mmCIF file of all heavy atoms in Angstrom:
data_model
loop_
_atom_site.group_PDB
_atom_site.id
_atom_site.type_symbol
_atom_site.label_atom_id
_atom_site.label_comp_id
_atom_site.label_asym_id
_atom_site.label_seq_id
_atom_site.Cartn_x
_atom_site.Cartn_y
_atom_site.Cartn_z
ATOM 1 N N ARG A 192 89.367 130.064 115.177
ATOM 2 C CA ARG A 192 88.382 129.433 114.274
ATOM 3 C C ARG A 192 89.160 128.858 113.095
ATOM 4 O O ARG A 192 89.964 129.569 112.472
ATOM 5 C CB ARG A 192 87.392 130.518 113.789
ATOM 6 C CG ARG A 192 86.395 130.048 112.760
ATOM 7 C CD ARG A 192 85.333 129.185 113.399
ATOM 8 N NE ARG A 192 84.254 128.864 112.470
ATOM 9 C CZ ARG A 192 83.888 127.632 112.195
ATOM 10 N NH1 ARG A 192 84.487 126.594 112.743
ATOM 11 N NH2 ARG A 192 82.877 127.415 111.375
ATOM 12 N N ILE A 193 88.946 127.558 112.783
ATOM 13 C CA ILE A 193 89.773 126.906 111.746
ATOM 14 C C ILE A 193 88.911 126.015 110.854
ATOM 15 O O ILE A 193 87.823 125.589 111.278
ATOM 16 C CB ILE A 193 90.944 126.113 112.418
ATOM 17 C CG1 ILE A 193 92.045 125.834 111.395
ATOM 18 C CG2 ILE A 193 90.440 124.803 113.045
ATOM 19 C CD1 ILE A 193 93.376 125.418 112.015
ATOM 20 N N PHE A 194 89.388 125.766 109.650
ATOM 21 C CA PHE A 194 88.635 124.981 108.663
ATOM 22 C C PHE A 194 89.465 123.807 108.147
ATOM 23 O O PHE A 194 90.708 123.840 108.223
ATOM 24 C CB PHE A 194 88.190 125.899 107.527
ATOM 25 C CG PHE A 194 87.315 127.025 108.019
ATOM 26 C CD1 PHE A 194 87.887 128.231 108.458
ATOM 27 C CD2 PHE A 194 85.936 126.857 108.134
ATOM 28 C CE1 PHE A 194 87.079 129.241 108.960
ATOM 29 C CE2 PHE A 194 85.137 127.872 108.633
ATOM 30 C CZ PHE A 194 85.706 129.067 109.065
ATOM 31 N N THR A 195 88.791 122.801 107.609
ATOM 32 C CA THR A 195 89.490 121.582 107.131
ATOM 33 C C THR A 195 90.596 121.941 106.142
ATOM 34 O O THR A 195 90.340 122.640 105.165
ATOM 35 C CB THR A 195 88.487 120.628 106.459
ATOM 36 O OG1 THR A 195 87.410 120.388 107.373
ATOM 37 C CG2 THR A 195 89.124 119.311 106.059
ATOM 38 N N GLY A 196 91.797 121.463 106.436
ATOM 39 C CA GLY A 196 92.915 121.682 105.543
ATOM 40 C C GLY A 196 93.697 122.963 105.852
ATOM 41 O O GLY A 196 94.747 123.211 105.254
ATOM 42 N N ALA A 197 93.199 123.758 106.808
ATOM 43 C CA ALA A 197 93.873 125.023 107.142
ATOM 44 C C ALA A 197 95.099 124.738 108.009
ATOM 45 O O ALA A 197 95.091 123.827 108.844
ATOM 46 C CB ALA A 197 92.914 125.937 107.884
ATOM 47 N N PRO A 198 96.175 125.549 107.840
ATOM 48 C CA PRO A 198 97.366 125.337 108.662
ATOM 49 C C PRO A 198 97.095 125.602 110.141
ATOM 50 O O PRO A 198 96.361 126.546 110.483
ATOM 51 C CB PRO A 198 98.386 126.333 108.099
ATOM 52 C CG PRO A 198 97.604 127.313 107.314
ATOM 53 C CD PRO A 198 96.337 126.636 106.868
ATOM 54 N N MET A 199 97.662 124.788 111.022
ATOM 55 C CA MET A 199 97.460 124.947 112.467
ATOM 56 C C MET A 199 98.206 126.186 112.942
ATOM 57 O O MET A 199 99.351 126.416 112.564
ATOM 58 C CB MET A 199 98.019 123.718 113.221
ATOM 59 C CG MET A 199 97.226 122.445 113.052
ATOM 60 S SD MET A 199 95.583 122.550 113.818
ATOM 61 C CE MET A 199 96.028 122.379 115.544
ATOM 62 N N PRO A 200 97.575 126.989 113.796
ATOM 63 C CA PRO A 200 98.264 128.136 114.373
ATOM 64 C C PRO A 200 99.381 127.631 115.308
ATOM 65 O O PRO A 200 99.267 126.544 115.872
ATOM 66 C CB PRO A 200 97.186 128.843 115.211
ATOM 67 C CG PRO A 200 95.887 128.228 114.785
ATOM 68 C CD PRO A 200 96.185 126.882 114.253
ATOM 69 N N ALA A 201 100.417 128.408 115.437
ATOM 70 C CA ALA A 201 101.508 128.036 116.363
ATOM 71 C C ALA A 201 100.930 127.950 117.779
ATOM 72 O O ALA A 201 100.044 128.717 118.145
ATOM 73 C CB ALA A 201 102.615 129.073 116.304
ATOM 74 N N GLY A 202 101.377 126.979 118.537
ATOM 75 C CA GLY A 202 100.924 126.829 119.919
ATOM 76 C C GLY A 202 99.729 125.902 120.053
ATOM 77 O O GLY A 202 99.514 125.341 121.127
ATOM 78 N N ALA A 203 98.933 125.746 118.986
ATOM 79 C CA ALA A 203 97.755 124.866 119.075
ATOM 80 C C ALA A 203 98.189 123.408 118.907
ATOM 81 O O ALA A 203 99.098 123.131 118.136
ATOM 82 C CB ALA A 203 96.754 125.246 117.984
ATOM 83 N N ASP A 204 97.534 122.490 119.622
ATOM 84 C CA ASP A 204 97.921 121.084 119.476
ATOM 85 C C ASP A 204 96.697 120.170 119.325
ATOM 86 O O ASP A 204 96.802 118.956 119.372
ATOM 87 C CB ASP A 204 98.781 120.631 120.654
ATOM 88 C CG ASP A 204 98.070 120.762 121.983
ATOM 89 O OD1 ASP A 204 96.848 121.099 121.976
ATOM 90 O OD2 ASP A 204 98.709 120.548 123.025
ATOM 91 N N ALA A 205 95.503 120.771 119.134
ATOM 92 C CA ALA A 205 94.301 119.959 118.891
ATOM 93 C C ALA A 205 93.254 120.828 118.224
ATOM 94 O O ALA A 205 93.340 122.058 118.231
ATOM 95 C CB ALA A 205 93.760 119.406 120.216
ATOM 96 N N VAL A 206 92.269 120.141 117.626
ATOM 97 C CA VAL A 206 91.140 120.857 117.037
ATOM 98 C C VAL A 206 89.873 120.277 117.673
ATOM 99 O O VAL A 206 89.747 119.061 117.814
ATOM 100 C CB VAL A 206 91.096 120.691 115.501
ATOM 101 C CG1 VAL A 206 89.796 121.242 114.909
ATOM 102 C CG2 VAL A 206 92.306 121.379 114.845
ATOM 103 N N VAL A 207 88.959 121.171 118.074
ATOM 104 C CA VAL A 207 87.655 120.729 118.571
ATOM 105 C C VAL A 207 86.668 120.955 117.441
ATOM 106 O O VAL A 207 86.628 122.032 116.844
ATOM 107 C CB VAL A 207 87.200 121.560 119.783
ATOM 108 C CG1 VAL A 207 86.020 120.881 120.465
ATOM 109 C CG2 VAL A 207 88.343 121.754 120.761
#
Side-chain angles (χ1 to χ4, degrees):
R192 175 74 173 124
I193 199 164
F194 299 89
T195 307
M199 289 293 285
D204 60 6
V206 170
V207 193

